[in-house]
Amino acid sequence: MQWQDHAIILGVKRHGETSVIAEVMTRDRGRHLGLVRSGRSRAMQPVLQPGNAVEVIWRARLDEHLGEFRVEPVTLRAARLMETATAVYGVQAMGALLRLLPERDPHPHLFDALEVILDHLHNPADAGELFVRFELAVLNDLGFGLDLGECAATGARSDLAYVSPKSGRAVSRSAGAPWADKMLLLPPFLGVEGNHAADFDSLAAAFRLTGFFLHRHVYEPRGMEAAAARDGFVQAALKALNPALRTLAGPNGVSA
């Protein structure tokens, strides 16, 4: 058995004295593991860093075996990803999200989104907005997608201001007003009109929104907690937009 694919390094684990087991996100074959012989060598260590884009050739006798990777560098962005807190935490947080999906289950759109986000993690506003959209895409692929295109009560597609915590559907400002204190806010940049850039308040609301549904539908049923890297990313992204920020809390969102 053999195949070749574009991939992004998610992480490595030591195996024996000189080798590692590499975890990658491939474009056409999803998240995949493979043994890299001499992966701890001076030549390979800089290549096998999270966030780097590589070309992998996987070989195994049977499809269900771990198999071996031969890895060739394509874009070595790991050093740049160490320059900002949003990048350091972001690459870890997205790796944790991808581990929620079944191994070897193809999600080419998530691979493409991952590549785009990795190239924008240095800009906190862009990184935050893209990360939220990535979380929404993962929720959708797990079967818990949110319907933010029209009001659940009236069918209206304008002035959508809330999201029902029960149904995960958008609600217009007028229809949701009587229950506003029980609703989640729908950030304008996630609305169907999508003509607003993310700012501090809308990004904080977006993190609360995705965090709520990830906790309810994914982490809680699996007896898991959100990755610590997500909290680190949320704090870094919001603090960059508001340096006076001091208090951020909770696995499901933020408070200021």
Side-chain angles (χ1 to χ4, degrees), residues 225-237:
E225 295 290 338
R230 183 187 192 268
D231 283 344
F233 177 82
V234 168
Q235 293 188 37

Side-chain angles (χ1 to χ4, degrees), residues 94-140:
M94 288 188 291
L97 285 167
L98 292 171
R99 292 182 187 104
L100 298 172
L101 300 166
E103 189 182 343
R104 304 188 180 190
D105 192 14
H107 298 268
H109 59 293
L110 290 181
F111 175 88
D112 293 340
L114 179 62
E115 280 218 301
V116 171
I117 299 172
L118 288 171
D119 288 331
H120 290 81
L121 283 175
H122 61 284
N123 185 314
D126 290 345
E129 182 173 342
L130 290 169
F131 182 84
V132 165
R133 295 185 184 281
F134 191 77
E135 289 189 314
L136 288 172
V138 171
L139 274 168
N140 187 69

Side-chain angles (χ1 to χ4, degrees), residues 12-206:
V12 297
K13 182 171 63 175
R14 179 173 174 173
H15 185 81
E17 292 299 317
T18 61
S19 300
V20 299
I21 294 175
E23 180 184 30
V24 303
M25 182 64 180
T26 66
R27 191 180 192 285
D28 298 323
R29 292 169 176 81
R31 187 172 57 86
H32 212 289
L33 302 177
L35 178 70
V36 181
R37 297 194 182 277
S38 300
R40 300 181 65 222
S41 68
R42 285 188 177 184
M44 289 306 301
Q45 281 188 2
V47 176
L48 299 176
Q49 296 298 313
N52 283 343
V54 297
E55 191 78 10
V56 295
I57 296 176
W58 179 85
R59 291 191 182 95
R61 190 169 64 85
L62 297 175
D63 186 60
E64 59 266 25
H65 287 176
L66 172 65
E68 295 186 15
F69 280 144
R70 192 175 77 194
V71 181
E72 296 293 336
V74 176
T75 305
L76 300 185
R77 56 169 70 91
R80 180 163 52 83
L81 292 173
M82 297 297 292
E83 294 176 357
T84 64
T86 51
V88 169
Y89 288 118
V91 67
Q92 298 176 48
M94 288 188 291
L97 285 167
L98 292 171
R99 292 182 187 104
L100 298 172
L101 300 166
E103 189 182 343
R104 304 188 180 190
D105 192 14
H107 298 268
H109 59 293
L110 290 181
F111 175 88
D112 293 340
L114 179 62
E115 280 218 301
V116 171
I117 299 172
L118 288 171
D119 288 331
H120 290 81
L121 283 175
H122 61 284
N123 185 314
D126 290 345
E129 182 173 342
L130 290 169
F131 182 84
V132 165
R133 295 185 184 281
F134 191 77
E135 289 189 314
L136 288 172
V138 171
L139 274 168
N140 187 69
D141 283 19
L142 288 170
F144 305 110
L146 306 187
D147 182 356
L148 306 180
E150 64 179 31
C151 175
T154 67
R157 296 178 60 83
S158 61
D159 200 27
L160 303 177
Y162 306 106
V163 177
S164 166
K166 292 184 178 180
S167 68
R169 298 184 64 189
V171 180
S172 68
R173 193 178 309 277
S174 58
W179 302 278
D181 60 332
K182 297 181 181 179
M183 295 282 189
L184 294 162
L185 294 178
L186 175 60
F189 72 86
L190 290 180
V192 67
E193 295 165 324
N195 54 359
H196 297 271
D199 57 16
F200 175 84
D201 290 333
S202 62
L203 193 55

